[in-house]
Every structure is written in structure tokens, then in C-alpha cells.
Amino acid sequence: MMSLTSAQLIAQDVAVLKYKGGGDWYSNPTALPNLVKYCNDNIDTNINENIQTVEVGSIDIFQFPLLHMTGHGNVFFSDDDAENLRKYLISGGFLHIDDNYGMEPYITKELKKVFPNNELREIPKNHEIFNSAYNFPNGLPKIHEHDGKAPQALGIFHENRLVLLFTFESDLGDGWEDQEVHNDPEDVREKALKMGANIVKYAFSN
């Protein structure tokens, strides 16, 4: 079984996860580059600012301690995709899925292929991911309004390690994008970037 070597775990690289199904995996193109720059400037990371794209079923995912996935619509994992992703996650990798609006019913269904016996569950507000670099005592911040619902941080745990974070009704990635894309106020963008920095720091150190 392939696993992440210690050298790979020390590597500070992130990638966008490309998936099948027709959903816009490529949305928010400025989001991850801006988050990486913010982390390099503020929390002593040294992440490659040239963001790569990897496919779910590719062995290339094992090069990255952190994968980021987003979109608005349909997601489909083949059995091989699901098996590859499961191996990646249980061998030390971390996946952050940011629902850009409309992704939740599809990703919830596909994650059952990855972890058939493991449900997404609410991450408690005292979890390390909410205070690894910056303190969020109330949990996940709300960045964009869609349906008037509270933001939710849902996760999948393997042997007590959070291996997958699903941010729902928050839209962190919109807050990471260039300011002119969504015209978010500076304080809202700052909140989004700080929470993103927490995710990065957590993923690199757990």
C-alpha cells in the first residue's frame, strides 16, 4: 500500500483536486493562491505558490499533504477514485472540501464510497482546527450568505485524526478570492483567510 513518506509530509505543497461528474472543480481560481500567499506571509509556511491540479484517481495526490476541493455541483468518484482517496487520507493526507454552494448532496453521497462506515459529523468548536494558528471560539465563520443557514464544519475522523474537513454554508473560498471578485469587506476576507490558515497549519502538523 502506498503511503505518504516522511519527506512528503514535510513538504509544504497544496493542490486543487479535479473530480469527475461535471461540477466546476476549477471555480474560485484565485482562492488557493491567495491563501497560500497569506500563510507564507503570516504563519511561517513555505508553500509553493504555483498551485497544481491533481485528479482524484492519480497517485500524484500522495505528493501533497493537503488537497483542496470546491465547486457548485455534481461530483462523481469511481471505485478506483474512492479507493485511491481513502488510501491517501488514512496514510496521512488531508482533504478540505469547501462547498461553493450546491455541492453538499453530491459530495455526501460520494464520500460514502470513500468511507462506507464513517459518517460526516460536526466538528466540536474546541477542536484544534479552530485554534491552530488563529482562535475561532465560535467555530467556522460565515463568509457568504446563501440560504440563511448557520455555517457548519463537518469532518471524517480516522483513528481519532481529522482526515477530511467539509465546510458548508460558509464559502471560505469566496473570501480567499481577489477582493474585486466578490467585493467582500476586508474584515470578512481576513476572517476567511485566518480560518484557511488554521486548516493549512492543522493539515501540515497532523
Side-chain angles (χ1 to χ4, degrees), residues 8-76:
Q8 286 169 322
L9 285 170
I10 293 164
Q12 293 191 330
D13 277 327
V14 299
V16 171
L17 196 64
K18 178 182 179 181
Y19 52 87
K20 304 180 190 83
D24 54 342
W25 58 267
Y26 45 80
S27 59
N28 290 13
T30 62
L32 213 51
N34 284 346
L35 177 62
V36 163
K37 186 171 189 329
Y38 184 87
C39 290
N40 287 345
D41 289 347
N42 291 281
I43 63 164
D44 296 328
T45 50
N46 184 24
I47 309 169
N48 184 351
E49 294 187 16
N50 180 21
I51 307 296
Q52 295 187 54
T53 298
V54 288
E55 299 196 15
V56 186
S58 167
I59 62 166
D60 292 343
I61 65 173
F62 289 85
Q63 297 173 30
F64 301 94
L66 170 61
L67 298 173
H68 176 74
M69 177 177 176
T70 191
H72 293 84
N74 194 26
V75 177
F76 174 77

Side-chain angles (χ1 to χ4, degrees), residues 16-189:
V16 171
L17 196 64
K18 178 182 179 181
Y19 52 87
K20 304 180 190 83
D24 54 342
W25 58 267
Y26 45 80
S27 59
N28 290 13
T30 62
L32 213 51
N34 284 346
L35 177 62
V36 163
K37 186 171 189 329
Y38 184 87
C39 290
N40 287 345
D41 289 347
N42 291 281
I43 63 164
D44 296 328
T45 50
N46 184 24
I47 309 169
N48 184 351
E49 294 187 16
N50 180 21
I51 307 296
Q52 295 187 54
T53 298
V54 288
E55 299 196 15
V56 186
S58 167
I59 62 166
D60 292 343
I61 65 173
F62 289 85
Q63 297 173 30
F64 301 94
L66 170 61
L67 298 173
H68 176 74
M69 177 177 176
T70 191
H72 293 84
N74 194 26
V75 177
F76 174 77
F77 294 154
S78 69
D79 290 345
D80 286 348
D81 290 342
E83 176 66 9
N84 197 51
L85 187 56
R86 192 182 76 81
K87 283 180 179 172
Y88 164 79
L89 292 170
I90 66 176
S91 64
F94 187 90
L95 173 61
H96 172 221
I97 306 170
D98 189 44
D99 190 337
N100 210 347
Y101 191 57
M103 191 186 198
E104 188 263 344
Y106 305 105
I107 191 62
T108 304
K109 180 168 154 286
E110 294 308 291
L111 287 176
K112 293 302 289 178
K113 297 177 182 175
V114 183
F115 289 106
N117 305 312
N118 208 334
E119 298 280 341
L120 279 168
R121 54 190 169 102
E122 189 102 34
I123 298 170
K125 291 182 173 60
N126 63 354
H127 189 273
E128 182 191 341
I129 205 157
F130 296 121
N131 59 28
S132 59
Y134 300 98
N135 195 20
F136 285 88
N138 299 315
L140 188 66
K142 184 81 168 176
I143 305 304
H144 262 219
E145 189 55 74
H146 291 299
D147 291 333
K149 296 177 183 172
Q152 280 188 292
L154 303 168
I156 288 178
F157 292 80
H158 175 72
E159 295 175 351
N160 294 322
R161 182 177 75 92
L162 179 65
V163 298
L164 182 149
L165 169 67
F166 177 48
T167 46
F168 180 55
E169 284 289 328
S170 169
D171 234 338
L172 289 175
D174 279 8
W176 301 344
E177 284 230 89
D178 288 350
Q179 199 276 332
E180 61 269 19
V181 177
H182 300 286
N183 292 316
D184 288 331
E186 194 53 43
D187 63 320
V188 171
R189 293 187 72 236

